[in-house]
Amino acid sequence: MSKFIFITGGVVSSLGKGIAAASIGKLLEARGLKTTIIKCDPYLNVDPGTMNPFQHGEVYVTDDGAETDLDLGHYERFTNAHITKDCNITTGKVYYTVITKERRGDYLGKTVQIIPHITDEIKRCIKKVSHEKDVDVTIVEIGGTVGDIESLPFLEAIRQLRWELGESYAVNVHVTLLPYIKSAGEQKTKPTQHSVGRLREIGIAPDILLCRTEKHISKEQRDKLALFCNVDREAVIEAGDVKHIYEVPLSFKKESLDDLILKKLNLKREDRDMKEWKGLVIKRLKTPQREVKISVVGKYMALQDAYKSIYEALIHGGIANDARVHIAKIDSEDLEKGNLEKYLQGAQGILIPGGFGDRGIEGKIRAVQYARENKIPFFGICLGMQVASIEFARNVCGLSGANSTEFDKDTPNPVVSLLEEQKHVKNLGASMRLGAYPCKLIKQSKSFQAYRKENISERHRHRYEFNNKYKKSFEAKGMIFAGINSSQDLVEIIELKDHPWFVACQFHPEFKSKPDQVHPLFRDFVKASLDVKRIS
Ligand code: GLN
């Protein structure tokens, strides 16, 4: 039976609970334990699929086609856990199930209540994942901050679970903040004491405190935290700021967090050092031999989290090529008029990520033209492939007014359009082409060179597709259809013949890249960009 680690957050949001959870997963995996991770999100949306990135950040897509919280992306990047739709439990999902059961008459005669019906459903969902995945340890991260009304049913559910499981089967980790007050010249423990107090009021006693801090924690502060929060001294873990998120597992290891968790869960596993992670990932992140500048042209540039997996995959591409990747974030609306040089000067590679809606589209189309004409390596992803098709249609094939029907319903040349099945979709939630689909590569392509195999599988999240009617005229002008989904005859990858590296795909390769297992397309895109000499 799986053991559990419950992770809660206190004091403020954005403490990096997701990274902490993923790092714990990494540490335990390094000790030979099989783990999985669950994220509980206390909002009423069934999933984040219909939320704006400004609200939520990136929507992360799993192989089985779930639109999930971006923390699940951290889990997959840090660990080998296979994350599926059940790994994201939202309040919306839980209520949906309970209310559906109520309507069916499953609770006939009873009053349906938050406790026990909602909490039971939460527990059922958590147990289902740990059971089906047959893991040694299930890590459960509760979203939000202790004290929020929304997360109470989740906290009550993990309290009950811990009670049912017994001591050595579950450990509570509380991620908290020790703010440093400059004028007083010291770190403050009071917010943590209050947050632990809130947890204790609802019956949860943290076993481990993961203290986010800018400064080292002194012995006195550790003693104070241990005494007032009722934890062992060794369970006050310093989680200092680090430059790269991939250093977090090592900083936890330095504090012996893995030993502590194993002890509390009564598990014995050999200690292995994390040589590969340290050697390859951290060394290359910290002291790379080369540098490269990649411009990402999108529309949510002010928000760090909107293209999380894209930025991470570029960093992985850098690790694989022993290079530091400088990412220039460019708002496509700025490219709609005037001279592009001002914004794209010095870019050794240009990437256009996925997106929805017509804001900034013309700027993206101009960025593609710039990359194509100046022979700058270009990587288009999902919407990025669609705008690359529009640009090629208009400027190379001479198909005037070419567009996607997403942006212009009456375009005379719909080079990107809806499939028949998508035309009848009424509900917007979970109704796109989602999750993993196979794709066959042609041998004479940059993509085949990258993957070094013919059959691949990649994750999707889109409604619109390349319109096959235009294939012939594109081919005649030098476009290669390098990847095809044969069963549905859909274009998955387009490439340009006379260009150093121009690859655009309908799927999202960024979701499958890891720091120590870089995605081949990101690796080769960064490699091609490194070959470009530009003066910034
Ligand atoms: N809006 C486009 C579509 O729905 C692209 C989606 C995306 O980039 N994820 O097809």
Side-chain angles (χ1 to χ4, degrees):
M1 189 182 146
S2 169
K3 303 210 166 182
F4 288 84
I5 299 175
F6 298 119
I7 302 185
T8 53
V11 185
V12 290
S13 58
S14 305
L15 286 181
K17 257 186 304 162
I19 305 274
S23 300
I24 290 175
K26 177 84 201 160
L27 285 187
L28 298 185
E29 234 176 41
R31 300 292 293 257
L33 290 160
K34 188 174 171 206
T35 67
T36 191
I37 314 197
I38 297 171
K39 171 83 192 282
C40 296
D41 276 313
Y43 47 68
L44 281 164
N45 302 63
V46 171
D47 63 42
T50 55
M51 275 189 239
N52 185 311
F54 277 126
Q55 291 274 310
H56 187 272
E58 163 188 284
V59 173
Y60 186 76
V61 181
T62 56
D63 265 338
D64 64 346
E67 298 174 281
T68 71
D69 186 74
L70 60 82
D71 275 333
L72 293 157
H74 295 311
Y75 301 159
E76 286 209 315
R77 283 188 281 275
F78 278 70
T79 71
N80 290 311
H82 183 230
I83 303 297
T84 50
K85 66 178 190 310
D86 292 337
C87 297
N88 198 184
I89 306 172
T90 64
T91 299
K93 223 188 233 178
V94 171
Y95 272 75
Y96 196 81
T97 310
V98 170
I99 291 171
T100 307
K101 279 190 189 169
E102 188 276 336
R103 291 290 80 187
R104 214 165 46 208
D106 290 10
Y107 305 110
L108 218 51
K110 293 203 190 90
T111 308
V112 182
Q113 293 179 297
I114 293 180
I115 302 170
H117 301 100
I118 294 295
T119 45
D120 279 355
E121 175 58 17
I122 295 171
K123 288 192 289 179
R124 188 191 67 79
C125 291
I126 293 176
K127 285 185 203 159
K128 179 173 178 251
V129 173
S130 71
H131 181 73
E132 282 177 0
K133 298 204 183 283
D134 192 23
V135 290
D136 301 308
V137 181
T138 306
I139 300 168
V140 183
E141 179 197 342
I142 309 294
T145 308
V146 168
D148 297 346
I149 294 174
E150 288 94 340
S151 55
L152 277 174
F154 287 103
L155 295 173
E156 171 60 12
I158 61 164
R159 183 199 68 75
Q160 291 183 14
L161 263 179
R162 158 105 191 211
W163 182 86
E164 286 168 20
L165 293 159
E167 281 277 296
S168 65
Y169 272 87
V171 32
N172 294 329
V173 177
H174 190 52
V175 184
T176 178
L177 175 72
L178 301 185
Y180 178 74
I181 306 294
K182 231 187 189 165
S183 56
E186 59 174 310
Q187 268 159 334
K188 292 295 179 189
T189 63
K190 195 75 86 192
T192 300
Q193 294 180 44
H194 280 301
S195 152
V196 170
R198 286 302 281 269
L199 271 178
R200 301 223 310 257
E201 274 170 32
I202 51 176
I204 296 177
D207 303 290
I208 296 173
L209 295 179
L210 265 186
C211 304
R212 291 300 320 277
T213 169
E214 295 169 41
K215 308 258 174 200
H216 284 303
I217 312 176
S218 65
K219 184 176 171 305
E220 292 73 34
Q221 301 286 70
R222 277 187 199 252
D223 289 350
K224 197 168 163 186
L225 280 163
L227 177 66
F228 293 124
C229 299
N230 211 27
V231 300
D232 302 333
R233 271 195 193 86
E234 56 170 8
V236 178
I237 302 290
E238 179 178 300
D241 293 344
V242 288
K243 192 149 180 242
H244 303 285
I245 53 171
Y246 301 117
E247 290 177 71
V248 176
L250 298 173
S251 96
F252 287 176
K253 174 108 185 126
K254 234 195 238 154
E255 294 275 298
S256 306
L257 180 59
D258 50 342
D259 289 333
L260 183 67
I261 291 175
L262 260 65
K263 189 169 112 190
K264 293 212 180 278
L265 290 178
N266 201 14
L267 291 166
K268 288 193 177 55
R269 289 294 191 283
E270 200 188 310
D271 194 2
R272 302 180 214 165
D273 65 2
M274 299 169 71
K275 237 197 308 187
E276 254 173 56
W277 191 262
K278 254 187 240 170
L280 194 76
V281 179
I282 305 302
K283 187 175 166 282
R284 287 200 171 172
L285 262 179
K286 289 189 139 173
T287 51
Q289 297 303 304
R290 301 184 284 174
E291 297 194 49
V292 63
K293 180 176 167 184
I294 306 281
S295 293
V296 175
V297 181
K299 71 177 196 184
Y300 306 106
M301 304 326 280
L303 194 77
Q304 184 64 19
D305 280 348
Y307 302 109
K308 190 83 206 156
S309 296
I310 296 270
Y311 297 150
E312 291 307 316
L314 282 172
I315 292 170
H316 308 160
I319 294 173
N321 286 289
D322 206 1
R324 174 164 296 131
V325 180
H326 298 280
I327 301 175
K329 298 174 183 171
I330 295 172
D331 194 320
S332 55
E333 276 183 299
D334 291 336
L335 303 184
E336 299 205 318
K337 285 189 212 83
N339 191 351
L340 297 190
E341 279 295 332
K342 184 176 157 206
Y343 296 97
L344 295 174
Q345 193 185 42
Q348 290 164 279
I350 294 175
L351 185 150
I352 300 189
F356 297 83
D358 62 359
R359 183 166 69 79
I361 281 298
E362 293 301 322
K364 288 181 186 171
I365 294 172
R366 290 188 76 203
V368 180
Q369 184 177 9
Y370 182 90
R372 183 176 56 76
E373 290 177 350
N374 292 292
K375 306 252 186 264
I376 299 167
F378 173 79
F379 196 5
I381 293 177
C382 206
L383 178 66
M385 183 190 107
Q386 299 175 354
V387 292
S389 310
I390 298 170
E391 193 279 327
F392 194 78
R394 286 185 194 173
N395 301 330
V396 181
C397 303
L399 297 165
S400 64
N403 216 329
S404 160
T405 52
E406 180 180 4
F407 316 125
D408 178 4
K409 275 196 187 56
D410 307 315
T411 167
N413 285 302
V415 286
V416 177
S417 61
L418 279 184
L419 286 185
E420 210 43 48
E421 66 204 44
Q422 277 289 342
K423 287 187 184 153
H424 310 293
V425 165
K426 292 235 159 50
N427 283 344
L428 293 186
S431 58
M432 283 187 250
R433 182 167 174 234
L434 287 167
Y437 284 92
C439 165
K440 199 170 166 138
L441 304 178
I442 60 163
K443 289 219 167 116
Q444 298 72 30
S445 65
K446 299 261 180 355
S447 303
F448 183 81
Q449 255 172 37
Y451 285 93
R452 296 181 197 117
K453 58 181 177 188
E454 230 175 309
N455 293 301
I456 59 163
S457 164
E458 292 284 1
R459 300 180 193 173
H460 294 67
R461 181 176 185 248
H462 59 105
R463 276 186 215 290
Y464 294 82
E465 305 281 350
F466 181 84
N467 185 346
N468 283 340
K469 262 196 352 216
Y470 293 91
K471 248 172 148 178
K472 280 222 166 70
S473 31
F474 271 49
E475 270 168 344
K477 295 281 184 187
M479 185 68 91
I480 305 169
F481 293 92
I484 300 288
N485 172 317
S486 343
S487 61
Q488 287 175 280
D489 194 21
L490 298 173
V491 172
E492 293 280 6
I493 307 177
I494 59 172
E495 293 185 11
L496 274 186
K497 238 185 230 154
D498 299 319
H499 193 284
W501 207 89
F502 189 107
V503 177
C505 50
Q506 189 54 79
F507 50 79
H508 288 271
E510 71 272 23
F511 294 140
K512 285 176 64 167
S513 189
K514 299 178 192 244
D516 50 355
Q517 293 162 53
V518 59
H519 190 285
L521 290 180
F522 277 90
R523 182 196 62 214
D524 283 11
F525 171 56
V526 171
K527 184 167 180 280
S529 305
L530 274 159
D531 292 338
V532 175
K533 302 269 168 290
R534 305 244 304 162
I535 304 141
S536 50

